[in-house]
Amino acid sequence: MNAPHPDALERPHRLDALPFDNSFARLPEAFYTRLAPWGLPEPRAVLFSDAAAALIGLHPDELASPAFVEAMAGNTPLPGGDTLAAVYSGHQFGAWAGQLGDGRAHLLGEIRTPHGPWELQLKGAGRTPYSRMGDGRAVLRSSIREFLCSEAMAALGIPTTRALSLVASDLPVPRETMETAAVVTRMAPSFVRFGSFEHWTANKRPGELQQLADYVIDRFYPAARDAANPAVAMLTEVSRRTATLMAQWQAVGFMHGVMNTDNMSILGLTLDYGPFAFMDGFDADHICNHTDRGGRYRYSAQPHIAHWNLHALGHALMPLIGDTDALEAAIDTAFVETYNREFLARLGAKLGLTDTRDGDEELIGQLYGLLHAHHTDYTLFFRALGELPAVAGTPAQDAPVRDLVADRTACDAWLAQWRARLALDARPDAERRAAMHAVNPKYVLRNWVAETAIRAAQAGDFAPLQRIHTCLQRPFDEQPENAEFAAPPPDWAQSLSVSCSS
Ligand code: AMP
Ligand code: MG
Protein backbone atom coordinates (compact mmCIF):
# COMPACT_ATOMS: atom_id res chain seq x y z
CA MET A 1 0.00 0.00 0.00
CA ASN A 2 1.36 3.41 -0.95
CA ALA A 3 1.03 5.50 2.17
CA PRO A 4 0.40 9.20 1.68
CA HIS A 5 2.88 11.63 3.23
CA PRO A 6 2.21 11.90 6.98
CA ASP A 7 1.98 15.69 6.84
CA ALA A 8 -0.91 15.41 4.40
CA LEU A 9 -3.05 13.30 6.74
CA GLU A 10 -5.92 14.48 8.90
CA ARG A 11 -5.44 13.54 12.54
CA PRO A 12 -8.80 14.05 14.21
CA HIS A 13 -9.00 10.92 16.36
CA ARG A 14 -8.72 10.81 20.11
CA LEU A 15 -7.34 7.58 21.55
CA ASP A 16 -10.68 6.67 23.13
CA ALA A 17 -12.57 7.22 19.87
CA LEU A 18 -10.54 5.45 17.17
CA PRO A 19 -12.78 4.27 14.30
CA PHE A 20 -12.47 0.51 14.78
CA ASP A 21 -13.93 -1.93 12.28
CA ASN A 22 -12.61 -5.34 13.27
CA SER A 23 -12.95 -7.45 10.17
CA PHE A 24 -10.57 -10.23 11.22
CA ALA A 25 -12.57 -10.67 14.44
CA ARG A 26 -15.65 -11.30 12.30
CA LEU A 27 -14.10 -14.44 10.86
CA PRO A 28 -15.22 -17.63 12.62
CA GLU A 29 -13.70 -18.32 16.01
CA ALA A 30 -11.52 -21.12 14.66
CA PHE A 31 -9.20 -18.40 13.35
CA TYR A 32 -8.24 -16.96 16.73
CA THR A 33 -8.71 -16.83 20.47
CA ARG A 34 -10.29 -13.74 22.00
CA LEU A 35 -8.41 -12.72 25.12
CA ALA A 36 -7.06 -9.76 27.06
CA PRO A 37 -3.33 -9.10 27.17
CA TRP A 38 -1.54 -9.43 30.48
CA GLY A 39 -0.13 -5.94 30.08
CA LEU A 40 3.07 -4.55 31.53
CA PRO A 41 3.63 -3.31 35.10
CA GLU A 42 4.54 0.37 35.46
CA PRO A 43 5.12 1.00 31.78
CA ARG A 44 7.31 3.87 30.62
CA ALA A 45 7.02 5.61 27.26
CA VAL A 46 10.25 5.05 25.34
CA LEU A 47 9.51 6.02 21.77
CA PHE A 48 6.62 6.57 19.40
CA SER A 49 6.39 7.11 15.66
CA ASP A 50 4.57 10.25 14.71
CA ALA A 51 4.53 9.12 11.08
CA ALA A 52 2.79 5.86 12.04
CA ALA A 53 0.32 7.69 14.28
CA ALA A 54 -0.54 9.94 11.34
CA LEU A 55 -1.48 6.90 9.26
CA ILE A 56 -4.30 6.03 11.68
CA GLY A 57 -5.37 9.66 12.09
CA LEU A 58 -4.38 9.71 15.75
CA HIS A 59 -4.25 13.22 17.18
CA PRO A 60 -0.61 14.21 17.92
CA ASP A 61 -1.45 15.25 21.51
CA GLU A 62 -2.46 11.69 22.36
CA LEU A 63 1.07 10.34 21.96
CA ALA A 64 2.32 12.10 25.08
CA SER A 65 -0.64 11.10 27.25
CA PRO A 66 -0.44 8.61 30.12
CA ALA A 67 -3.52 6.89 28.69
CA PHE A 68 -1.59 6.16 25.48
CA VAL A 69 1.22 4.45 27.41
CA GLU A 70 -1.25 2.34 29.39
CA ALA A 71 -3.12 1.29 26.24
CA MET A 72 0.10 0.50 24.35
CA ALA A 73 1.31 -1.58 27.30
CA GLY A 74 -1.86 -3.63 27.09
CA ASN A 75 -3.01 -2.44 30.50
CA THR A 76 -6.24 -0.78 29.35
CA PRO A 77 -8.38 -1.82 26.39
CA LEU A 78 -9.17 0.63 23.59
CA PRO A 79 -12.89 1.36 23.18
CA GLY A 80 -14.08 -0.37 20.02
CA GLY A 81 -11.20 -2.86 19.96
CA ASP A 82 -11.73 -6.62 19.99
CA THR A 83 -8.51 -8.20 21.23
CA LEU A 84 -7.43 -11.60 19.95
CA ALA A 85 -4.48 -13.83 19.12
CA ALA A 86 -4.55 -15.48 15.67
CA VAL A 87 -3.61 -19.04 14.82
CA TYR A 88 -1.21 -20.00 12.04
CA SER A 89 1.29 -22.73 11.22
CA GLY A 90 4.40 -22.77 9.11
CA HIS A 91 7.66 -24.15 7.82
CA GLN A 92 10.66 -23.21 9.94
CA PHE A 93 14.14 -23.66 8.44
CA GLY A 94 12.60 -25.74 5.69
CA ALA A 95 10.81 -28.23 7.93
CA TRP A 96 7.12 -28.38 8.76
CA ALA A 97 6.70 -26.95 12.27
CA GLY A 98 2.98 -27.53 12.77
CA GLN A 99 0.84 -25.08 14.68
CA LEU A 100 2.42 -21.79 15.78
CA GLY A 101 0.28 -18.66 16.07
CA ASP A 102 0.46 -15.34 17.88
CA GLY A 103 2.41 -16.57 20.89
CA ARG A 104 3.14 -13.09 22.14
CA ALA A 105 1.05 -10.87 19.90
CA HIS A 106 -2.38 -9.44 20.60
CA LEU A 107 -4.39 -7.95 17.77
CA LEU A 108 -6.22 -5.00 19.33
CA GLY A 109 -8.40 -4.41 16.30
CA GLU A 110 -8.49 -2.71 12.94
CA ILE A 111 -8.80 1.00 12.32
CA ARG A 112 -10.63 2.23 9.27
CA THR A 113 -8.94 5.13 7.45
CA PRO A 114 -9.57 6.87 4.13
CA HIS A 115 -6.37 5.18 2.88
CA GLY A 116 -7.28 1.65 3.91
CA PRO A 117 -7.33 -0.42 7.08
CA TRP A 118 -4.63 -0.58 9.73
CA GLU A 119 -4.52 -3.35 12.30
CA LEU A 120 -2.97 -2.52 15.67
CA GLN A 121 -1.07 -5.31 17.37
CA LEU A 122 0.83 -5.48 20.66
CA LYS A 123 3.98 -7.61 20.67
CA GLY A 124 5.18 -8.82 24.08
CA ALA A 125 2.10 -8.21 26.23
CA GLY A 126 1.78 -11.74 27.60
CA ARG A 127 1.05 -15.35 26.82
CA THR A 128 -1.70 -16.68 24.56
CA PRO A 129 -2.93 -20.22 23.78
CA TYR A 130 -0.28 -20.25 21.01
CA SER A 131 2.71 -19.45 23.23
CA ARG A 132 3.90 -23.07 23.41
CA MET A 133 7.04 -22.94 25.63
CA GLY A 134 7.41 -19.16 25.30
CA ASP A 135 6.76 -16.61 28.02
CA GLY A 136 4.72 -14.22 25.88
CA ARG A 137 7.25 -11.48 26.40
CA ALA A 138 9.62 -9.45 24.26
CA VAL A 139 12.74 -7.83 25.67
CA LEU A 140 13.72 -4.18 25.36
CA ARG A 141 16.70 -5.08 23.13
CA SER A 142 14.68 -6.85 20.46
CA SER A 143 11.82 -4.36 20.73
CA ILE A 144 14.19 -1.47 20.02
CA ARG A 145 15.49 -3.35 16.99
CA GLU A 146 11.98 -4.03 15.68
CA PHE A 147 10.81 -0.46 16.26
CA LEU A 148 13.82 1.20 14.68
CA CYS A 149 13.97 -1.10 11.70
CA SER A 150 10.24 -1.00 10.90
CA GLU A 151 10.29 2.77 10.74
CA ALA A 152 13.67 2.85 8.96
CA MET A 153 12.43 0.46 6.25
CA ALA A 154 9.31 2.57 5.75
CA ALA A 155 11.48 5.66 5.32
CA LEU A 156 13.58 3.75 2.77
CA GLY A 157 10.39 3.07 0.82
CA ILE A 158 10.48 -0.69 1.49
CA PRO A 159 7.13 -2.37 2.28
CA THR A 160 6.99 -3.21 5.97
CA THR A 161 4.83 -3.50 9.03
CA ARG A 162 5.04 -0.29 11.04
CA ALA A 163 5.81 0.52 14.66
CA LEU A 164 3.58 2.97 16.50
CA SER A 165 5.03 2.87 19.99
CA LEU A 166 7.56 1.28 22.30
CA VAL A 167 6.90 1.06 26.03
CA ALA A 168 9.18 -0.55 28.58
CA SER A 169 9.07 -1.85 32.10
CA ASP A 170 11.45 -3.14 34.76
CA LEU A 171 9.78 -6.55 34.60
CA PRO A 172 12.62 -9.07 34.38
CA VAL A 173 12.61 -11.45 31.42
CA PRO A 174 15.10 -14.31 31.27
CA ARG A 175 16.93 -14.79 27.97
CA GLU A 176 20.64 -15.71 27.63
CA THR A 177 20.99 -13.16 30.43
CA MET A 178 18.31 -11.47 32.53
CA GLU A 179 16.75 -8.64 30.52
CA THR A 180 13.63 -6.46 30.89
CA ALA A 181 10.27 -6.47 29.14
CA ALA A 182 8.93 -4.11 26.51
CA VAL A 183 5.96 -3.94 24.17
CA VAL A 184 6.02 -2.68 20.60
CA THR A 185 2.72 -1.74 19.02
CA ARG A 186 2.87 -2.78 15.39
CA MET A 187 0.63 -1.72 12.54
CA ALA A 188 -0.14 -3.40 9.22
CA PRO A 189 -3.16 -3.54 6.94
CA SER A 190 -3.11 -7.24 7.80
CA PHE A 191 -0.83 -9.60 9.71
CA VAL A 192 -1.96 -12.66 7.72
CA ARG A 193 1.04 -14.83 6.81
CA PHE A 194 1.75 -17.60 4.30
CA GLY A 195 1.52 -19.86 7.36
CA SER A 196 -2.05 -18.68 8.03
CA PHE A 197 -3.04 -20.53 4.83
CA GLU A 198 -0.79 -23.52 5.43
CA HIS A 199 -2.54 -24.00 8.77
CA TRP A 200 -5.90 -24.89 7.27
CA THR A 201 -4.58 -27.17 4.55
CA ALA A 202 -2.39 -29.06 7.02
CA ASN A 203 -5.43 -29.51 9.25
CA LYS A 204 -7.61 -30.66 6.29
CA ARG A 205 -10.05 -27.78 6.75
CA PRO A 206 -10.88 -26.65 3.18
CA GLY A 207 -13.80 -24.55 4.40
CA GLU A 208 -11.61 -22.31 6.52
CA LEU A 209 -9.00 -22.19 3.76
CA GLN A 210 -11.66 -20.85 1.40
CA GLN A 211 -12.85 -18.34 4.01
CA LEU A 212 -9.36 -17.01 4.56
CA ALA A 213 -8.72 -16.73 0.82
CA ASP A 214 -12.02 -14.89 0.37
CA TYR A 215 -11.15 -12.56 3.24
CA VAL A 216 -7.73 -11.68 1.84
CA ILE A 217 -8.93 -11.39 -1.76
CA ASP A 218 -11.92 -9.19 -0.93
CA ARG A 219 -9.89 -6.84 1.23
CA PHE A 220 -6.50 -6.72 -0.45
CA TYR A 221 -6.64 -8.29 -3.92
CA PRO A 222 -10.07 -7.22 -5.19
CA ALA A 223 -8.98 -7.48 -8.84
CA ALA A 224 -8.43 -11.23 -8.31
CA ARG A 225 -12.13 -11.68 -7.57
CA ASP A 226 -12.96 -11.29 -11.28
CA ALA A 227 -10.33 -13.78 -12.46
CA ALA A 228 -11.24 -17.26 -13.71
CA ASN A 229 -9.62 -18.60 -10.54
CA PRO A 230 -9.35 -15.95 -7.81
CA ALA A 231 -6.89 -18.02 -5.75
CA VAL A 232 -4.53 -18.29 -8.74
CA ALA A 233 -4.82 -14.57 -9.36
CA MET A 234 -4.10 -13.81 -5.71
CA LEU A 235 -1.10 -16.14 -5.68
CA THR A 236 0.25 -14.49 -8.81
CA GLU A 237 0.01 -11.07 -7.21
CA VAL A 238 1.52 -12.29 -3.92
CA SER A 239 4.40 -13.74 -5.98
CA ARG A 240 4.94 -10.38 -7.67
CA ARG A 241 4.85 -8.44 -4.42
CA THR A 242 7.18 -10.89 -2.72
CA ALA A 243 9.59 -10.73 -5.67
CA THR A 244 9.56 -6.93 -5.55
CA LEU A 245 10.24 -7.03 -1.83
CA MET A 246 13.20 -9.37 -2.38
CA ALA A 247 14.62 -7.03 -5.03
CA GLN A 248 14.36 -4.19 -2.52
CA TRP A 249 16.00 -6.19 0.27
CA GLN A 250 18.88 -7.28 -1.96
CA ALA A 251 19.36 -3.79 -3.36
CA VAL A 252 19.58 -2.14 0.04
CA GLY A 253 21.56 -5.02 1.60
CA PHE A 254 18.90 -6.06 4.11
CA MET A 255 18.96 -9.57 5.56
CA HIS A 256 15.86 -10.81 7.38
CA GLY A 257 17.52 -13.74 9.11
CA VAL A 258 14.43 -15.95 9.71
CA MET A 259 12.48 -16.32 6.48
CA ASN A 260 10.19 -19.02 7.81
CA THR A 261 6.80 -19.19 6.11
CA ASP A 262 5.14 -17.90 9.28
CA ASN A 263 7.20 -14.73 8.89
CA MET A 264 6.13 -14.12 5.28
CA SER A 265 3.42 -11.51 4.85
CA ILE A 266 0.56 -12.22 2.44
CA LEU A 267 0.80 -8.52 1.53
CA GLY A 268 4.51 -8.66 0.65
CA LEU A 269 5.57 -6.66 3.71
CA THR A 270 8.75 -7.11 5.68
CA LEU A 271 7.42 -8.88 8.78
CA ASP A 272 8.77 -10.06 12.15
CA TYR A 273 12.06 -8.33 12.77
CA GLY A 274 14.35 -10.66 14.71
CA PRO A 275 18.03 -11.26 13.95
CA PHE A 276 17.95 -9.05 10.81
CA ALA A 277 20.95 -7.03 9.65
CA PHE A 278 22.03 -4.57 7.01
CA MET A 279 25.17 -5.48 5.12
CA ASP A 280 28.31 -3.75 6.34
CA GLY A 281 31.39 -5.09 4.51
CA PHE A 282 29.89 -6.98 1.56
CA ASP A 283 29.82 -10.75 1.81
CA ALA A 284 27.35 -12.41 -0.53
CA ASP A 285 27.07 -15.38 1.81
CA HIS A 286 26.71 -13.44 5.03
CA ILE A 287 24.54 -15.18 7.65
CA CYS A 288 23.10 -12.62 10.03
CA ASN A 289 21.39 -15.08 12.36
CA HIS A 290 23.97 -17.06 14.29
CA THR A 291 21.42 -19.82 15.03
CA ASP A 292 21.15 -20.41 11.25
CA ARG A 293 24.12 -22.75 11.15
CA GLY A 294 23.54 -24.02 7.62
CA GLY A 295 23.15 -20.52 6.24
CA ARG A 296 19.71 -21.24 4.82
CA TYR A 297 18.81 -17.57 5.15
CA ARG A 298 22.14 -16.04 4.04
CA TYR A 299 22.00 -12.87 1.96
CA SER A 300 22.52 -14.53 -1.41
CA ALA A 301 19.81 -17.13 -0.74
CA GLN A 302 16.97 -14.76 0.14
CA PRO A 303 15.29 -14.58 -3.29
CA HIS A 304 15.49 -18.36 -3.67
CA ILE A 305 14.03 -18.86 -0.19
CA ALA A 306 11.17 -16.46 -0.93
CA HIS A 307 10.44 -18.53 -4.02
CA TRP A 308 10.52 -21.72 -1.96
CA ASN A 309 8.14 -20.13 0.54
CA LEU A 310 5.77 -19.18 -2.28
CA HIS A 311 5.69 -22.85 -3.25
CA ALA A 312 4.72 -23.70 0.31
CA LEU A 313 1.91 -21.15 0.04
CA GLY A 314 0.95 -22.51 -3.37
CA HIS A 315 0.84 -26.04 -2.00
CA ALA A 316 -1.46 -24.79 0.77
CA LEU A 317 -3.73 -23.18 -1.84
CA MET A 318 -3.87 -26.34 -4.01
CA PRO A 319 -7.36 -27.31 -2.80
CA LEU A 320 -8.56 -24.00 -4.30
CA ILE A 321 -6.40 -24.23 -7.42
CA GLY A 322 -6.50 -27.89 -8.32
CA ASP A 323 -4.18 -27.64 -11.28
CA THR A 324 -0.40 -27.89 -10.96
CA ASP A 325 0.27 -26.03 -14.21
CA ALA A 326 -1.71 -23.02 -13.03
CA LEU A 327 0.16 -23.13 -9.74
CA GLU A 328 3.55 -23.15 -11.43
CA ALA A 329 2.64 -20.30 -13.74
CA ALA A 330 1.34 -18.26 -10.82
CA ILE A 331 4.53 -18.70 -8.83
CA ASP A 332 7.44 -19.40 -11.14
CA THR A 333 6.70 -17.07 -14.02
CA ALA A 334 5.46 -14.19 -11.87
CA PHE A 335 8.25 -14.46 -9.32
CA VAL A 336 11.20 -14.90 -11.67
CA GLU A 337 10.11 -12.23 -14.16
CA THR A 338 9.30 -9.70 -11.47
CA TYR A 339 12.41 -10.35 -9.44
CA ASN A 340 14.78 -10.09 -12.41
CA ARG A 341 13.15 -6.94 -13.71
CA GLU A 342 12.91 -5.21 -10.32
CA PHE A 343 16.40 -6.16 -9.25
CA LEU A 344 17.97 -4.91 -12.50
CA ALA A 345 15.96 -1.69 -12.35
CA ARG A 346 16.94 -1.01 -8.75
CA LEU A 347 20.61 -1.80 -9.24
CA GLY A 348 20.63 0.26 -12.42
CA ALA A 349 19.22 3.19 -10.47
CA LYS A 350 21.82 2.67 -7.75
CA LEU A 351 24.50 2.93 -10.44
CA GLY A 352 22.94 6.10 -11.83
CA LEU A 353 21.63 4.54 -15.06
CA THR A 354 18.46 5.87 -16.63
CA ASP A 355 17.29 2.59 -18.15
CA THR A 356 18.24 -1.07 -18.53
CA ARG A 357 20.47 -2.17 -21.42
CA ASP A 358 22.22 -5.31 -22.57
CA GLY A 359 25.36 -5.78 -20.56
CA ASP A 360 24.02 -4.15 -17.39
CA GLU A 361 23.69 -7.52 -15.73
CA GLU A 362 27.39 -8.22 -16.30
CA LEU A 363 28.35 -4.79 -14.98
CA ILE A 364 26.33 -5.44 -11.82
CA GLY A 365 27.71 -8.97 -11.45
CA GLN A 366 31.27 -7.69 -11.72
CA LEU A 367 30.54 -5.05 -9.11
CA TYR A 368 29.22 -7.66 -6.67
CA GLY A 369 32.34 -9.71 -7.33
CA LEU A 370 34.52 -6.70 -6.54
CA LEU A 371 32.61 -5.79 -3.36
CA HIS A 372 32.67 -9.41 -2.20
CA ALA A 373 36.38 -9.88 -2.90
CA HIS A 374 37.33 -6.78 -0.94
CA HIS A 375 34.64 -6.85 1.70
CA THR A 376 33.75 -3.28 0.76
CA ASP A 377 31.17 -1.47 2.85
CA TYR A 378 27.97 -1.85 0.83
CA THR A 379 26.13 1.31 1.84
CA LEU A 380 29.19 3.57 1.74
CA PHE A 381 30.19 2.30 -1.70
CA PHE A 382 27.00 3.28 -3.51
CA ARG A 383 26.76 6.59 -1.69
CA ALA A 384 30.35 7.44 -2.62
CA LEU A 385 29.83 6.34 -6.23
CA GLY A 386 27.26 9.11 -6.65
CA GLU A 387 29.96 11.68 -5.98
CA LEU A 388 32.18 10.60 -8.87
CA PRO A 389 32.24 12.46 -12.19
CA ALA A 390 31.01 10.59 -15.27
CA VAL A 391 34.18 11.37 -17.18
CA ALA A 392 37.31 9.64 -15.86
CA GLY A 393 38.34 11.48 -12.75
CA THR A 394 41.73 12.11 -11.25
CA PRO A 395 42.74 9.66 -8.50
CA ALA A 396 41.84 12.42 -6.04
CA GLN A 397 38.35 12.81 -7.50
CA ASP A 398 37.84 9.04 -7.41
CA ALA A 399 39.20 8.73 -3.88
CA PRO A 400 35.79 8.41 -2.15
CA VAL A 401 35.29 5.09 -3.98
CA ARG A 402 38.90 3.97 -4.43
CA ASP A 403 39.54 4.30 -0.71
CA LEU A 404 36.82 1.72 -0.04
CA VAL A 405 38.33 -0.98 -2.27
CA ALA A 406 41.62 -2.52 -1.24
CA ASP A 407 42.62 -3.39 -4.83
CA ARG A 408 42.81 -0.01 -6.59
CA THR A 409 43.60 -1.54 -9.97
CA ALA A 410 40.51 -3.74 -9.88
CA CYS A 411 38.47 -0.77 -8.67
CA ASP A 412 39.72 1.44 -11.52
CA ALA A 413 38.94 -1.28 -14.05
CA TRP A 414 35.36 -1.52 -12.86
CA LEU A 415 34.97 2.27 -12.72
CA ALA A 416 36.14 2.46 -16.35
CA GLN A 417 33.38 0.05 -17.36
CA TRP A 418 30.82 1.96 -15.32
CA ARG A 419 31.83 5.20 -17.01
CA ALA A 420 31.61 3.63 -20.45
CA ARG A 421 28.05 2.64 -19.59
CA LEU A 422 27.20 6.09 -18.19
CA ALA A 423 28.36 7.63 -21.47
CA LEU A 424 25.44 5.88 -23.23
CA ASP A 425 23.00 7.79 -21.02
CA ALA A 426 24.66 11.22 -21.34
CA ARG A 427 23.00 12.49 -18.18
CA PRO A 428 24.49 15.61 -16.56
CA ASP A 429 26.58 14.80 -13.43
CA ALA A 430 24.51 16.96 -11.08
CA GLU A 431 21.28 15.30 -12.16
CA ARG A 432 22.76 11.81 -11.87
CA ARG A 433 24.28 12.57 -8.49
CA ALA A 434 20.91 13.73 -7.14
CA ALA A 435 19.16 10.66 -8.61
CA MET A 436 21.75 8.31 -7.07
CA HIS A 437 21.56 9.97 -3.67
CA ALA A 438 17.79 9.56 -3.77
CA VAL A 439 18.13 5.76 -4.05
CA ASN A 440 21.42 5.06 -2.24
CA PRO A 441 20.80 5.71 1.45
CA LYS A 442 23.41 7.38 3.57
CA TYR A 443 21.85 5.92 6.74
CA VAL A 444 20.70 2.34 7.32
CA LEU A 445 20.15 0.64 10.68
CA ARG A 446 23.57 -0.92 11.01
CA ASN A 447 23.83 -3.46 13.82
CA TRP A 448 26.33 -1.36 15.69
CA VAL A 449 24.02 1.65 15.51
CA ALA A 450 21.11 -0.40 16.89
CA GLU A 451 23.43 -1.73 19.57
CA THR A 452 24.42 1.82 20.54
CA ALA A 453 20.75 2.71 21.06
CA ILE A 454 20.17 -0.52 22.99
CA ARG A 455 23.09 -0.16 25.38
CA ALA A 456 22.13 3.42 26.27
CA ALA A 457 18.46 2.47 26.71
CA GLN A 458 19.37 -0.47 28.92
CA ALA A 459 21.26 2.02 31.09
CA GLY A 460 18.16 4.23 31.24
CA ASP A 461 19.17 6.79 28.60
CA PHE A 462 16.68 6.91 25.72
CA ALA A 463 18.20 9.97 24.04
CA PRO A 464 20.48 8.07 21.61
CA LEU A 465 17.54 5.84 20.61
CA GLN A 466 15.39 8.86 19.84
CA ARG A 467 18.20 10.50 17.94
CA ILE A 468 18.85 7.40 15.83
CA HIS A 469 15.14 7.01 15.11
CA THR A 470 14.98 10.63 13.93
CA CYS A 471 18.09 10.19 11.78
CA LEU A 472 16.66 7.08 10.07
CA GLN A 473 13.52 8.97 9.10
CA ARG A 474 15.60 10.78 6.43
CA PRO A 475 17.94 8.04 5.21
CA PHE A 476 18.79 9.73 1.91
CA ASP A 477 19.61 13.16 3.34
CA GLU A 478 23.06 14.34 4.34
CA GLN A 479 22.81 14.97 8.08
CA PRO A 480 26.22 16.28 9.20
CA GLU A 481 25.14 16.15 12.85
CA ASN A 482 24.50 12.40 12.47
CA ALA A 483 27.45 11.51 10.23
CA GLU A 484 28.80 9.11 12.88
CA PHE A 485 25.84 6.76 12.23
CA ALA A 486 26.83 6.36 8.57
CA ALA A 487 30.18 4.83 9.54
CA PRO A 488 31.16 1.16 9.23
CA PRO A 489 31.25 -0.85 12.47
CA PRO A 490 33.80 0.41 14.99
CA ASP A 491 36.23 -2.06 16.53
CA TRP A 492 34.05 -2.81 19.55
CA ALA A 493 31.24 -3.93 17.25
CA GLN A 494 33.23 -6.24 14.94
CA SER A 495 32.08 -9.35 16.74
CA LEU A 496 28.43 -8.46 17.45
CA SER A 497 26.26 -11.46 16.79
CA VAL A 498 22.51 -11.65 16.73
CA SER A 499 20.44 -14.70 17.55
CA CYS A 500 16.76 -15.56 17.30
CA SER A 501 16.42 -14.87 21.02
CA SER A 502 14.06 -11.97 21.44
P1 AMP B 1 9.48 -15.95 15.45
O1 AMP B 1 10.50 -16.86 14.86
O2 AMP B 1 10.02 -14.95 16.45
O3 AMP B 1 8.70 -15.25 14.39
O4 AMP B 1 8.48 -16.83 16.31
C1 AMP B 1 7.99 -18.09 15.93
C2 AMP B 1 6.84 -18.48 16.82
O5 AMP B 1 7.22 -18.50 18.19
C3 AMP B 1 5.62 -17.58 16.75
O6 AMP B 1 4.50 -18.38 16.88
C4 AMP B 1 5.80 -16.69 17.94
O7 AMP B 1 4.57 -16.16 18.40
C5 AMP B 1 6.38 -17.65 18.96
N1 AMP B 1 7.20 -16.98 19.97
C6 AMP B 1 8.43 -16.44 19.83
N2 AMP B 1 8.87 -15.94 20.98
C7 AMP B 1 7.90 -16.15 21.91
C8 AMP B 1 7.76 -15.86 23.30
N3 AMP B 1 8.71 -15.25 23.99
N4 AMP B 1 6.61 -16.23 23.90
C9 AMP B 1 5.63 -16.86 23.22
N5 AMP B 1 5.72 -17.17 21.93
C10 AMP B 1 6.82 -16.82 21.26
MG1 MG C 1 7.24 -14.83 13.62
Side-chain angles (χ1 to χ4, degrees):
M1 184 163 305
N2 256 340
H5 191 275
D7 295 344
L9 295 168
E10 306 267 319
R11 301 180 60 171
H13 302 308
R14 292 293 166 177
L15 187 64
D16 59 4
L18 285 166
F20 277 105
D21 178 20
N22 306 315
S23 68
F24 194 83
R26 290 196 291 271
L27 287 169
E29 292 201 348
F31 285 86
Y32 50 78
T33 303
R34 267 200 181 84
L35 78 177
W38 289 355
L40 208 55
E42 297 180 46
R44 282 191 305 283
V46 174
L47 197 54
F48 56 77
S49 165
D50 197 57
L55 293 172
I56 55 168
L58 184 62
H59 195 286
D61 291 351
E62 294 289 359
L63 295 167
S65 74
F68 181 71
V69 179
E70 292 296 330
M72 297 303 110
N75 292 346
T76 50
L78 288 173
D82 191 352
T83 306
L84 58 84
V87 69
Y88 51 80
S89 295
H91 281 85
Q92 298 187 320
F93 291 91
W96 178 244
Q99 184 186 300
L100 303 164
D102 290 333
R104 51 169 170 172
H106 292 76
L107 179 64
L108 298 182
E110 173 189 327
I111 295 167
R112 208 173 347 102
T113 85
H115 314 283
W118 284 100
E119 289 186 338
L120 287 192
Q121 189 196 64
L122 304 182
K123 183 165 174 181
R127 299 192 80 225
T128 77
Y130 316 111
S131 300
R132 297 175 296 150
M133 306 303 283
D135 57 10
R137 293 300 183 185
V139 295
L140 180 61
R141 168 179 51 83
S142 68
S143 303
I144 287 173
R145 287 171 51 85
E146 170 135 24
F147 186 107
L148 285 178
C149 201
S150 308
E151 293 306 283
M153 291 290 262
L156 287 164
I158 300 175
T160 177
T161 63
R162 302 296 300 260
L164 174 62
S165 70
L166 168 55
V167 298
S169 149
D170 290 335
L171 183 76
V173 177
R175 292 291 183 261
E176 276 102 345
T177 60
M178 196 56 92
E179 302 191 43
T180 54
V183 173
V184 171
T185 302
R186 305 197 290 188
M187 300 182 4
S190 171
F191 284 93
V192 169
R193 299 137 193 276
F194 290 9
S196 309
F197 288 89
E198 291 177 275
H199 180 75
W200 298 119
T201 303
N203 285 286
K204 303 199 169 38
R205 303 268 291 263
E208 281 84 356
L209 178 70
Q210 181 75 62
Q211 279 177 312
L212 184 62
D214 286 341
Y215 174 81
V216 169
I217 289 168
D218 290 345
R219 296 183 65 73
F220 303 108
Y221 297 101
R225 179 57 66 206
D226 303 325
N229 184 322
V232 171
M234 174 182 76
L235 183 59
T236 307
E237 193 50 34
V238 175
S239 300
R240 288 195 190 114
R241 285 201 200 181
T242 305
T244 304
L245 182 69
M246 289 310 113
Q248 289 177 287
W249 284 5
Q250 299 305 98
V252 81
F254 175 80
M255 294 161 279
H256 182 283
V258 206
M259 291 177 66
N260 295 333
T261 56
D262 52 305
N263 292 339
M264 297 292 293
S265 156
I266 200 69
L267 302 183
L269 308 172
T270 311
L271 170 65
D272 280 9
Y273 291 91
F276 69 84
F278 284 85
M279 194 67 85
D280 292 310
F282 187 78
D283 170 3
D285 299 318
H286 185 67
I287 306 165
C288 67
N289 174 358
H290 82 163
T291 18
D292 178 13
R293 302 219 183 274
R296 180 177 173 84
Y297 299 138
R298 67 191 182 277
Y299 170 80
S300 56
Q302 293 190 128
H304 165 75
I305 291 290
H307 188 213
W308 191 94
N309 287 343
L310 282 161
H311 273 279
L313 174 64
H315 177 76
L317 291 171
M318 263 317 261
L320 308 180
I321 293 176
D323 165 9
T324 327
D325 290 346
L327 181 91
E328 278 169 13
I331 299 174
D332 299 342
T333 313
F335 184 88
V336 175
E337 277 178 11
T338 308
Y339 179 77
N340 289 342
R341 186 186 63 240
E342 291 292 324
F343 180 75
L344 265 186
R346 280 163 210 285
L347 260 294
K350 286 174 79 65
L351 296 182
L353 310 179
T354 54
D355 57 8
T356 308
R357 297 191 188 219
D358 287 348
D360 287 355
E361 235 165 309
E362 288 70 32
L363 182 69
I364 292 164
Q366 280 158 4
L367 173 59
Y368 276 113
L370 184 75
L371 299 179
H372 182 79
H374 303 291
H375 212 59
T376 303
D377 188 273
Y378 188 75
T379 304
L380 287 182
F381 179 88
F382 284 101
R383 190 76 181 182
L385 192 66
E387 298 292 343
L388 266 47
V391 176
T394 61
Q397 278 176 312
D398 285 355
V401 168
R402 293 179 97 228
D403 290 351
L404 296 171
V405 185
D407 181 343
R408 303 284 157 90
T409 314
C411 181
D412 289 343
W414 185 84
L415 284 175
Q417 281 182 279
W418 173 66
R419 286 185 160 123
R421 173 62 183 84
L422 285 184
L424 303 177
D425 285 353
R427 176 152 70 158
D429 273 348
E431 184 190 314
R432 180 180 46 79
R433 178 183 181 280
M436 288 176 73
H437 280 7
V439 294
N440 292 321
K442 170 128 183 167
Y443 299 98
V444 294
L445 181 56
R446 294 171 183 270
N447 258 346
W448 79 263
V449 174
E451 191 61 24
T452 301
I454 290 165
R455 289 183 184 182
Q458 286 173 334
D461 178 8
F462 299 139
L465 170 59
Q466 282 155 0
R467 191 174 146 216
I468 289 164
H469 169 59
T470 306
C471 168
L472 295 171
Q473 293 311 288
R474 297 190 294 123
F476 301 106
D477 293 357
E478 292 292 331
Q479 304 176 43
E481 71 284 11
N482 289 320
E484 63 189 284
F485 300 133
D491 285 346
W492 65 262
Q494 292 297 344
S495 59
L496 279 182
S497 74
V498 187
S499 72
C500 269
S501 141
S502 58

